[in-house]
Amino acid sequence: MILTNRELFLFVVCTVFYITLFILVLQSNRRKIQLLQSRLDNIHAMQKLAVMERGRGDVNEIFSTDVYQRLRRCMQEGRSLTTTDWQELSDAVNSVYAGFSEKLYSLYAMSEQDLHVSLLIKVRVQPKDIATLTAHSKESVASTRRRLYQKVFGRKGSTHDWDDFVLSI
C-alpha cells in the first residue's frame, strides 16, 4: 500500500494532533492529582491541628451560648434562623473551633447553604433539624452533604462521611 503525499501529510498531522491531545490530557490529570493531594495534605494538617486544639478549651462551651439556645428554640418552633443568628453561630463556632470556616473555605469555595449545613453539623444538629433551620428539604440537605464530600475529596461518599469529616476538624 502506497500513500500519496496528501494522505501521508494527513496521517502525520493526525498523529501529531493525537499525540498532543494525549500529552495535554496527561498533564491535566497530573494537575488534578496534585490538587487532590494538596487538599488531602491540608485536610490531614487540619485534623492534626484539631486534635491538638481539643486539649485546649472546652468544646462543650458552644452548647451554653445564647445563639445555640436560640437555635434550639427555632428547632422546637419549626423556624429557620435569621441572618443575624447565622452570623452569631458562625462567630461562636469559629471561636470555639479555631478558624473552622476558614478551614472549610480553604478546601472548597462554599456557598452560604454549604457553610450553614456544615456549621449545624459541627454543633451536632440532626439532619431533619438542619432542613428546618436552613428552610430546605431533608433531601436537599442530604444532597448538599454528599456533594460537599465529593467536591472536597474527589470521590463519592455518604452523608455520614461529610459529617464525620466536619466533626473531625
Side-chain angles (χ1 to χ4, degrees):
M1 173 170 112
I2 300 175
L3 298 176
T4 65
N5 285 342
R6 180 178 176 179
E7 291 171 335
L8 186 60
F9 174 76
L10 287 174
F11 176 74
V12 169
V13 167
C14 287
T15 303
V16 169
F17 173 76
Y18 286 119
I19 290 172
T20 304
L21 185 61
F22 176 76
I23 290 170
L24 289 174
V25 168
L26 191 62
Q27 288 176 341
S28 174
N29 286 341
R30 282 184 183 160
R31 272 188 249 123
K32 286 179 184 177
I33 289 170
Q34 287 174 340
L35 177 63
L36 287 173
Q37 186 61 47
S38 165
R39 282 185 180 173
L40 193 56
D41 292 344
N42 196 0
I43 289 166
H44 289 304
M46 283 190 281
Q47 287 174 326
K48 286 178 185 176
L49 183 63
V51 167
M52 291 186 310
E53 288 174 351
R54 280 189 199 125
R56 300 185 229 157
D58 181 15
V59 293
N60 291 323
E61 174 184 334
I62 193 82
F63 303 118
S64 61
T65 62
D66 290 339
V67 69
Y68 187 79
Q69 299 310 316
R70 279 197 309 275
L71 181 146
R72 300 293 299 171
R73 278 194 302 277
C74 286
M75 282 190 290
Q76 291 169 350
E77 296 169 5
R79 292 185 296 119
S80 58
L81 295 177
T82 66
T83 305
T84 305
D85 292 334
W86 284 117
Q87 186 58 51
E88 288 180 25
L89 178 63
S90 179
D91 292 344
V93 168
N94 284 313
S95 70
V96 173
Y97 304 99
F100 175 76
S101 297
E102 289 78 21
K103 291 174 186 175
L104 288 177
Y105 282 122
S106 74
L107 298 171
Y108 176 66
M110 297 195 159
S111 69
E112 189 174 83
Q113 165 72 1
D114 297 340
L115 178 63
H116 290 172
V117 168
S118 298
L119 287 168
L120 292 171
I121 291 168
K122 189 65 174 175
V123 296
R124 293 173 174 75
V125 174
Q126 295 298 312
K128 69 179 181 63
D129 294 323
I130 293 174
T132 300
L133 294 169
T134 60
H136 287 82
S137 70
K138 202 171 147 185
E139 293 78 18
S140 173
V141 170
S143 174
T144 297
R145 292 158 57 213
R146 274 192 300 275
R147 181 181 46 77
L148 283 169
Y149 186 85
Q150 185 170 2
K151 291 290 185 181
V152 170
F153 290 96
R155 63 178 186 265
K156 290 190 184 267
S158 72
T159 56
H160 297 292
D161 292 333
W162 181 250
D163 295 354
D164 291 344
F165 169 69
V166 168
L167 290 170
S168 75
I169 58 173

